[in-house]
């Protein structure tokens, strides 16, 4: 199994610290609001990674924290007129409501920052003792960034080029603008705890270092989170943990790509976000999960209704396949499997191998879903009633094979063609198989009948179109040329042609009748009109005789 390590910027063979066991940490949400779709991506993707590692036989200890003390939580508490503790408790409960609906399992441990204050204070004390941190007059404690030689190695930027990022306070009391807060002095109206440096609360970055060290140890196998956390959060975690413990902090760093709206990262701070609950009200939680898994976890993902509808359609295909299998199991024939059935079942193993191969290649869920749909397509074909009928009957002639008169004559009947007898269908007639498939499909309790793209019967004045198809069954037509072979597509074309011809004839006949009915009837002539008509004819005859006599005199 290979994973893309952000630290080395390449895929590396996954080798756990302890054989058969994986220690995995994921940065959880800051609980001051409902999680949005962008928050849901790492939650879903790394839940699937954990499940896959367990499927591969590893014992996974998965830790995901809650940041329950933060400036944003304090601000939300002031807006709602409640305490920070009540805000955190409320939105942790809402998080679990959405996470369970998304199919996300709870982590092995969900630690909270407020439950690990003593571990945080101990870690800060160690850093001060080693010279990597320093307190200031107002009670704050800062990390001395320039002292840690490897700072910037995860984000691949020299320390000189790094700028103050999110959650990095720039003020005059710090030794360097890149120094970040490990402990913040208490302010009026904010939650605080006693410490050697006075009342205060922990900084954001130190929380994860303390909690991962407590529950997973000094060095862990996998640390994961969103791409926006690589700097400064994960960079600062490395500096804190490795300076305090004197050893490597994480072996494999995994970061998922952003979810974008209009080519901008979905973010609460930008206001361009949809909560998971809002999206689920329109598309459903399962659709959101499928939407995430249809793309590789490192690729940016654009949020749109069209893509969510594609995910919904994909889910419907899976549900239909499951329904077909359940129906086939309930209504299939009893007894031992035939050789063809046994070969088919054995052939399904190839899809498990393909699935494992693509998932082992940097956790490629997009290709894994493609493999699943290949298997679904083959299963749907195999369990269809027509395939079942054909698989257990005599093999059909290959395309283009000519069938002689003798081959259409039943044994013991002399030279009488099969079509002139009342012999039952041998089971190899595609017409019979299709009719049976349609009937079983119509009787299926969970499936609506499909729309037909052509009519199944010709007008009464025309012979049944299937009569021109050469198969050894009672649907043969008498007097047919002995070497005529039509394929199913040709039959459908012929059928459409016969129907259209009949409709065209009927249309022409109807148009002719309409034209006849539109002609005005001839009115009978009066006696005066009759007299003038005869006089005109006599006048023209006299003129002709006079002209002939003059010519003769000359």
């Amino acid at each position: 199994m290979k994973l893309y390590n952000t630290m080395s910027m390449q895929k590396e063979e996954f080798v756990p610290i302890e054989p058969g066991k994986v220690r995995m940490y994921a940065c959880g949400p800051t609980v001051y609001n409902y999680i949005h779709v962008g928050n849901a991506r790492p939650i879903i993707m790394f839940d699937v990674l954990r499940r896959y590692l367990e499927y591969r036989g590893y014992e996974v200890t998965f830790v995901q924290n809650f940041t329950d003390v933060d400036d944003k939580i304090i601000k939300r508490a002031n807006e709602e007129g409640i305490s920070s503790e009540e805000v955190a408790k409320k939105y942790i409960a809402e998080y679990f409501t959405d996470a369970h609906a998304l199919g996300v399992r709870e982590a092995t441990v969900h630690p909270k920052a407020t439950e690990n204050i003593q571990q945080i204070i101990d870690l800060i004390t160690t850093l001060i003792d080693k010279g990597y941190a320093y307190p200031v007059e107002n009670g704050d404690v800062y990390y001395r960034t320039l002292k840690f030689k490897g700072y910037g190695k995860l984000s691949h930027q020299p320390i000189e080029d790094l700028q103050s990022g999110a959650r990095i306070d720039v003020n005059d009391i710090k030794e360097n603008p890149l120094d970040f807060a490990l402990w913040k002095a208490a302010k009026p109206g904010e939650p605080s705890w006693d410490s050697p440096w006075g009342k205060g609360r922990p900084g954001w970055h130190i929380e994860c270092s303390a909690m991962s060290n407590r529950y997973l140890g000094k060095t862990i196998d996998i640390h994961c989170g969103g791409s926006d956390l690589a700097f400064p959060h994960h960079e600062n975690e490395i500096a804190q943990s490795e300076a305090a413990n004197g050893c490597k902090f994480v072996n494999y760093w995994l970061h998922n790509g952003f979810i974008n709206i209009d080519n901008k990262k979905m973010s609460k701070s930008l206001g361009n976000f949809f909560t998971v609950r809002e999206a689920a009200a329109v598309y459903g939680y399962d659709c959101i999960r499928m939407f995430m898994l249809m793309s590789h976890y490192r690729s940016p993902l654009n949020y749109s209704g069209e893509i969510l509808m594609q995910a919904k359609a994909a889910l419907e295909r899976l549900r239909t396949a499951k329904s077909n299998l359940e129906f086939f199991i309930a209504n299939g024939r009893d007894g031992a499997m035939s050789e063809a059935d046994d070969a088919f079942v054995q052939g399904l193993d190839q899809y498990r191998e393909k699935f494992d191969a693509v998932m082992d290649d940097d956790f490629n869920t997009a290709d894994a879903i493609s493999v699943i749909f290949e298997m679904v397509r083959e299963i749907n074909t195999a369990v269809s009633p027509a395939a079942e009928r054909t698989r257990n009957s005599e093999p059909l002639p290959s395309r283009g094979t000519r069938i002689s008169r003798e081959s259409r004559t039943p044994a013991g009947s002399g030279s009488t063609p099969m079509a002139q007898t009342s012999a039952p269908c041998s089971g190899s007639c595609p017409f019979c198989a299709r009719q049976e498939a349609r009937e079983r499909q119509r009787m299926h309790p969970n499936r609506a009948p499909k729309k037909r793209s052509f009519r199944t019967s010709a007008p009464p004045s025309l012979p049944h179109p299937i009569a021109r198809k050469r198969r050894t069954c009672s649907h043969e037509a008498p007097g047919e040329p002995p070497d005529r072979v039509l394929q199913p597509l040709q039959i459908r074309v012929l059928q459409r042609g016969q129907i259209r011809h009949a409709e065209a004839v009927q249309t022409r006949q109807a148009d002719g009748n309409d034209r006849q009915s539109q002609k005005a009837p001839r009115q009978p002539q009066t006696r005066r009109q009759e007299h003038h008509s005869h006089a005109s004819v006599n006048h023209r005859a006299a003129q002709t005789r006079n002209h002939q006599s003059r010519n003769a005199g000359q």
Side-chain angles (χ1 to χ4, degrees), residues 15-31:
V15 180
I17 299 169
E18 186 177 352
K21 295 184 179 181
V22 176
R23 287 176 278 182
M24 180 175 171
Y25 188 94
C27 292
T30 301
V31 284

Side-chain angles (χ1 to χ4, degrees), residues 468-488:
R468 296 186 61 84
K469 187 177 179 73
R470 308 310 302 161
R471 288 290 185 259
T472 55
C473 74
S474 56
H475 296 101
E476 298 273 0
E480 190 69 11
D483 294 331
R484 176 66 170 165
V485 178
L486 295 178
Q487 301 300 330

Side-chain angles (χ1 to χ4, degrees), residues 357-468:
V358 295
M359 287 292 284
D360 284 347
D361 184 15
D362 191 28
F363 183 44
N364 193 339
T365 57
D367 285 354
I369 287 177
S370 299
V371 172
I372 291 172
F373 278 107
E374 288 178 19
M375 182 180 67
V376 165
R377 184 164 51 250
E378 184 166 348
I379 290 175
N380 285 342
T381 302
V383 302
S384 66
E388 172 69 13
R389 182 68 177 261
T390 303
R391 193 164 59 248
N392 297 313
S393 64
E394 294 297 325
L396 296 177
S398 60
R399 180 176 294 275
T401 303
R402 293 187 176 274
I403 305 175
S404 64
R405 182 180 297 276
E406 289 76 17
S407 66
R408 297 197 298 271
T409 304
S413 60
S415 60
T416 305
M418 176 66 77
Q420 298 179 14
T421 71
S422 59
C425 178
S426 65
S428 61
C429 172
F431 173 75
C432 301
R434 273 200 307 275
Q435 289 297 95
E436 181 180 355
R438 288 172 183 153
E439 183 64 18
R440 292 182 66 177
Q441 185 182 54
R442 186 179 67 82
M443 298 300 292
H444 196 292
N446 296 327
R447 181 190 287 261
K450 291 183 178 180
K451 293 182 180 180
R452 293 172 180 170
S453 59
F454 61 90
R455 293 173 58 180
T456 56
S457 60
S461 58
L462 297 174
H464 197 289
I466 204 65
R468 296 186 61 84

Side-chain angles (χ1 to χ4, degrees), residues 180-288:
F180 54 90
L182 301 176
W183 187 263
K184 296 182 179 181
K187 296 178 182 178
E190 294 185 355
S192 61
W193 291 263
D194 291 329
S195 76
W197 318 284
K199 279 188 170 292
R201 58 185 175 88
W204 177 43
H205 309 298
I206 195 66
E207 298 169 5
C208 290
S209 291
M211 287 184 279
S212 64
N213 186 52
R214 177 181 179 181
Y215 295 101
L216 297 174
K218 295 181 179 180
T219 304
I220 65 177
D221 293 297
I222 299 173
H223 196 313
C224 45
S227 298
D228 56 328
L229 298 181
F231 180 84
H233 183 54
H234 290 165
E235 196 76 69
N236 292 346
E237 280 190 67
I238 293 172
Q240 295 164 160
S241 298
E242 295 189 358
N245 298 324
C247 60
K248 189 175 183 179
F249 176 39
V250 175
N251 285 342
Y252 301 90
W253 287 94
L254 274 63
H255 294 95
N256 64 273
F258 294 139
I259 289 185
N260 297 326
I261 294 181
D262 298 329
N263 296 320
K264 293 183 180 179
K265 173 199 166 189
M266 183 183 289
S267 170
K268 291 176 184 174
S269 60
L270 296 176
N272 63 341
F273 70 94
F274 296 92
T275 66
V276 168
R277 202 159 297 183
E278 290 170 342
V282 179
Y283 303 103
Y285 284 99
D286 289 346
C287 181
I288 296 173

Side-chain angles (χ1 to χ4, degrees), residues 105-163:
R105 287 168 49 194
E106 292 188 18
T108 310
V109 185
H110 279 290
K112 303 181 184 68
T114 56
E115 297 172 347
N116 292 272
I117 296 297
Q118 188 56 52
Q119 285 73 24
I120 293 172
I121 291 174
D122 292 343
L123 182 57
I124 295 174
T125 302
T126 301
L127 290 171
I128 292 175
D129 293 342
K130 290 188 173 184
Y132 286 96
Y134 58 95
V136 293
E137 293 180 359
N138 68 349
D140 291 346
V141 180
Y142 290 94
Y143 186 88
R144 188 173 280 115
T145 307
L146 294 178
K147 185 173 177 61
F148 184 72
K149 300 304 181 183
Y151 194 80
K153 60 184 178 181
L154 181 65
S155 54
H156 305 286
Q157 302 179 69
I159 195 169
E160 296 81 9
D161 297 341
L162 292 172
Q163 299 297 323

